[in-house]
Amino acid sequence: MPHDGHTDEMSHLSDVELRVRALESVLTEKGYLDPAALDIMIETYETKVGPRNGARVVAKAWSDPAFREALMSDATAAISSLGFTGRQGEHMVALENTDVVHNMVVCTLCSCYPWPVLGLPPVWYKSAPYRSRAVIDPRGVLADFGVTLPAETEIKVWDSTAEMRYLVIPKRPAGTDDMSEEELADLVTRDSMIGTGLALEPTGTRS
Ligand code: FE
């Protein structure tokens, strides 16, 4: 399946990506651009701005049964009904984590990622070790992320492609019955929507 050409080799970069890289080096060389500042901006889109959208989707699914049902049957439509649309978000599938099954997402070939709900992919998501180990040893990868699941929980690994992007709906933490959608969204981390993390406990510690 096609993966939009996001491979590690320069030769597989798109024309736009090559131009962006060339521009970045020229601007840095001439002193117009501070790579550290650029890293901070990218980090912001990786961890704050982007995943905020996904967190709102998850929080709504947790608190609104009709929305949850719509999301599970047609994630693309349900997500775009909240205004989150765009490139790499055209064919979304929602995967719900339960006591029985834990879903985890990878792109084994490159870095396919649901941009409209999660923003930019983190560096580790694009790394060769994650891409290969997620499939071979998902429990080991989860351990590296500090997540230990009961032995009886099945771990399902989903390979993203240009045709299909996945959003993991983490398990709703206990003790959150009285929380508003806004408060619930604060518990939904980026990693919990990739499946390499869990939603935060209301106290702020990992469940
Ligand atoms: Fe890919």
Short mmCIF file of all heavy atoms in Angstrom, two decimals, residues 15 19 23 53 84 89 96 112 123 137 156 169 171 173 191 195:
data_model
loop_
_atom_site.label_atom_id
_atom_site.label_comp_id
_atom_site.label_asym_id
_atom_site.label_seq_id
_atom_site.Cartn_x
_atom_site.Cartn_y
_atom_site.Cartn_z
N ASP A 15 8.90 16.58 -3.60
CA ASP A 15 9.48 17.83 -4.07
C ASP A 15 9.35 18.92 -3.00
O ASP A 15 10.29 19.65 -2.70
CB ASP A 15 8.75 18.24 -5.36
CG ASP A 15 9.42 19.41 -6.04
OD1 ASP A 15 10.65 19.36 -6.17
OD2 ASP A 15 8.71 20.35 -6.42
N ARG A 19 12.33 20.91 -0.97
CA ARG A 19 12.42 22.37 -1.00
C ARG A 19 12.44 22.93 0.42
O ARG A 19 13.18 23.87 0.72
CB ARG A 19 11.22 22.96 -1.75
CG ARG A 19 11.43 22.95 -3.25
CD ARG A 19 10.13 23.14 -4.00
NE ARG A 19 10.34 22.90 -5.43
CZ ARG A 19 10.68 23.85 -6.29
NH1 ARG A 19 10.80 25.09 -5.89
NH2 ARG A 19 10.86 23.55 -7.56
N LEU A 23 15.44 25.14 1.94
CA LEU A 23 15.16 26.46 2.51
C LEU A 23 15.67 26.55 3.94
O LEU A 23 16.29 27.53 4.32
CB LEU A 23 13.65 26.71 2.51
CG LEU A 23 13.07 27.51 1.36
CD1 LEU A 23 11.55 27.58 1.51
CD2 LEU A 23 13.65 28.92 1.35
N ASN A 53 -6.72 18.29 19.33
CA ASN A 53 -7.90 17.94 18.54
C ASN A 53 -8.33 16.51 18.82
O ASN A 53 -9.50 16.24 19.08
CB ASN A 53 -7.59 18.07 17.04
CG ASN A 53 -7.33 19.51 16.64
OD1 ASN A 53 -7.61 20.43 17.39
ND2 ASN A 53 -6.79 19.69 15.45
N PHE A 84 -12.42 18.77 12.36
CA PHE A 84 -11.04 18.34 12.15
C PHE A 84 -10.93 17.57 10.84
O PHE A 84 -11.27 16.39 10.77
CB PHE A 84 -10.56 17.47 13.32
CG PHE A 84 -10.77 18.11 14.66
CD1 PHE A 84 -11.36 17.40 15.69
CD2 PHE A 84 -10.40 19.43 14.87
CE1 PHE A 84 -11.56 17.99 16.93
CE2 PHE A 84 -10.61 20.04 16.11
CZ PHE A 84 -11.19 19.31 17.14
N GLY A 89 -6.05 12.78 6.91
CA GLY A 89 -7.12 12.51 7.84
C GLY A 89 -8.37 12.08 7.09
O GLY A 89 -9.47 12.09 7.61
N GLU A 96 -11.06 1.22 19.73
CA GLU A 96 -11.37 1.43 21.14
C GLU A 96 -10.62 0.45 22.04
O GLU A 96 -10.72 -0.76 21.86
CB GLU A 96 -12.89 1.25 21.33
CG GLU A 96 -13.41 1.89 22.58
CD GLU A 96 -14.93 1.82 22.61
OE1 GLU A 96 -15.48 0.78 22.22
OE2 GLU A 96 -15.54 2.80 23.02
N CYS A 112 3.11 7.29 8.20
CA CYS A 112 1.71 7.67 8.03
C CYS A 112 1.10 7.92 9.41
O CYS A 112 1.26 7.11 10.33
CB CYS A 112 0.95 6.58 7.30
SG CYS A 112 1.54 6.33 5.61
N VAL A 123 9.29 12.03 16.75
CA VAL A 123 10.47 11.45 16.11
C VAL A 123 10.51 9.93 16.28
O VAL A 123 10.81 9.20 15.34
CB VAL A 123 11.75 12.10 16.70
CG1 VAL A 123 13.00 11.37 16.21
CG2 VAL A 123 11.84 13.56 16.30
N ASP A 137 7.44 -7.09 18.84
CA ASP A 137 7.43 -7.16 20.30
C ASP A 137 6.64 -5.98 20.90
O ASP A 137 7.21 -5.13 21.58
CB ASP A 137 8.89 -7.14 20.81
CG ASP A 137 8.98 -7.18 22.33
OD1 ASP A 137 8.01 -7.64 22.98
OD2 ASP A 137 10.02 -6.75 22.86
N LYS A 156 -3.29 -5.50 19.87
CA LYS A 156 -3.44 -5.50 18.41
C LYS A 156 -2.64 -4.34 17.84
O LYS A 156 -2.79 -3.20 18.28
CB LYS A 156 -4.92 -5.31 18.03
CG LYS A 156 -5.72 -6.59 18.03
CD LYS A 156 -7.07 -6.35 17.34
CE LYS A 156 -7.99 -7.54 17.54
NZ LYS A 156 -9.38 -7.22 17.18
N ILE A 169 -8.81 5.13 20.84
CA ILE A 169 -9.62 5.71 21.91
C ILE A 169 -9.20 5.01 23.20
O ILE A 169 -9.58 3.86 23.43
CB ILE A 169 -11.14 5.48 21.66
CG1 ILE A 169 -11.53 5.89 20.23
CG2 ILE A 169 -11.98 6.23 22.70
CD1 ILE A 169 -11.25 7.33 19.88
N LYS A 171 -8.84 3.80 27.12
CA LYS A 171 -9.85 3.51 28.13
C LYS A 171 -10.06 4.73 29.01
O LYS A 171 -9.12 5.41 29.40
CB LYS A 171 -9.39 2.34 29.01
CG LYS A 171 -9.82 1.01 28.49
CD LYS A 171 -9.60 -0.17 29.44
CE LYS A 171 -8.73 0.09 30.64
NZ LYS A 171 -8.58 -1.07 31.51
N PRO A 173 -10.39 6.60 32.25
CA PRO A 173 -9.91 6.27 33.59
C PRO A 173 -11.06 6.25 34.59
O PRO A 173 -12.06 6.97 34.42
CB PRO A 173 -8.93 7.40 33.93
CG PRO A 173 -8.66 8.10 32.65
CD PRO A 173 -9.85 7.88 31.77
N ASP A 191 0.29 10.08 23.28
CA ASP A 191 0.69 8.67 23.24
C ASP A 191 -0.49 7.74 23.48
O ASP A 191 -0.54 6.64 22.93
CB ASP A 191 1.80 8.39 24.26
CG ASP A 191 3.13 9.04 23.85
OD1 ASP A 191 3.16 9.72 22.80
OD2 ASP A 191 4.13 8.85 24.57
N GLY A 195 -1.55 4.60 21.22
CA GLY A 195 -1.59 3.29 21.86
C GLY A 195 -0.30 2.94 22.58
O GLY A 195 -0.14 1.84 23.09
#
